[in-house]
């Protein structure tokens, strides 16, 4: 496809690496007859490494067919995460390099995960905007703790640690924003 036809979210191949396009800047020189250029901000799949690429409007990029499948986390196999397709029960094994920083947000019995496939092979994981996790260790509730903005560290069931309001206690379930990694409410 021509560079001028690429849209945000498209998955393309460049120099043997697959990328997802996150942002596109179009620049047109003021001089007559100047070429319009497109600057793409892309992230590699898998791995999520940022890559900037500038192309002229007529340059070609190979579009890849990325399939998104709704899947649920099933179990751990060593350090790999096994997801099961929500429709046909296909199992997808995602290694830690594919899951990356999302590992702390993978929980059982939660919908909203999507395994992204290229040619049937899992290459990336899309996670829900927020997940519910259990507080497994935090300082006891402070006497007289009010709904102030003071926070304390809390270790969650998935192994991550976040800041929670001081009125939250061990054993409670909390919502965590997966984009920011912050507390977003009691469950």
């Amino acid at each position: 496809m021509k560079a001028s036809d690429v849209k945000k979210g498209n998955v393309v191949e460049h120099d043997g690496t697959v990328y997802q396009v996150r942002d596109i800047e179009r620049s047109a020189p003021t001089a007559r007859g100047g070429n319009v250029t497109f600057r793409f901000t892309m992230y590699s799949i898998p791995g999520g490494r940022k890559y900037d690429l500038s192309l002229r409007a007529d340059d070609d990029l190979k579009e890849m067919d990325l399939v998104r499948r709704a899947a649920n986390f099933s179990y751990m196999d060593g350090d790999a995460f096994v997801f099961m397709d929500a429709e046909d029960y296909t199992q997808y094994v995602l290694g830690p390099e594919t899951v990356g920083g999302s590992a702390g947000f993978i929980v059982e019995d939660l919908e909203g995960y999507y395994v992204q496939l290229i040619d049937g092979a899992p290459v990336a994981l899309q996670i829900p905007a927020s997940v519910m996790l259990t507080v497994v260790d935090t300082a006891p509730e402070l006497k007289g703790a009010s709904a102030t903005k003071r926070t304390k560290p809390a270790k969650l069931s998935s192994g991550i640690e976040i800041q929670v309001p001081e009125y939250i206690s061990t054993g409670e379930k909390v919502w965590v924003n997966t984009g920011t990694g912050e507390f977003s409410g009691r469950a």
Side-chain angles (χ1 to χ4, degrees), residues 12-66:
V12 296
E13 184 182 45
H14 177 72
D15 282 348
T17 303
V18 176
Y19 297 97
Q20 184 160 33
V21 177
R22 296 271 176 89
D23 206 20
I24 303 169
E25 260 179 56
R26 182 181 186 273
S27 66
T30 51
R32 281 199 196 151
N35 276 332
V36 174
T37 58
F38 291 86
R39 185 168 173 268
F40 299 100
T41 301
M42 311 188 296
Y43 287 83
S44 64
I45 300 175
R49 283 183 319 282
K50 185 178 176 192
Y51 183 72
D52 290 321
L53 175 68
S54 291
L55 294 173
R56 290 190 306 275
D58 289 339
D59 287 344
D60 279 322
L61 269 176
K62 181 179 177 196
E63 187 174 20
M64 302 294 289
D65 196 15
L66 183 79

Side-chain angles (χ1 to χ4, degrees), residues 69-86:
R69 299 288 297 178
N72 299 315
F73 173 61
S74 197
Y75 63 93
M76 294 295 295
D77 182 6
D79 60 357
F81 296 80
V82 180
F83 281 79
M84 189 173 290
D85 192 293

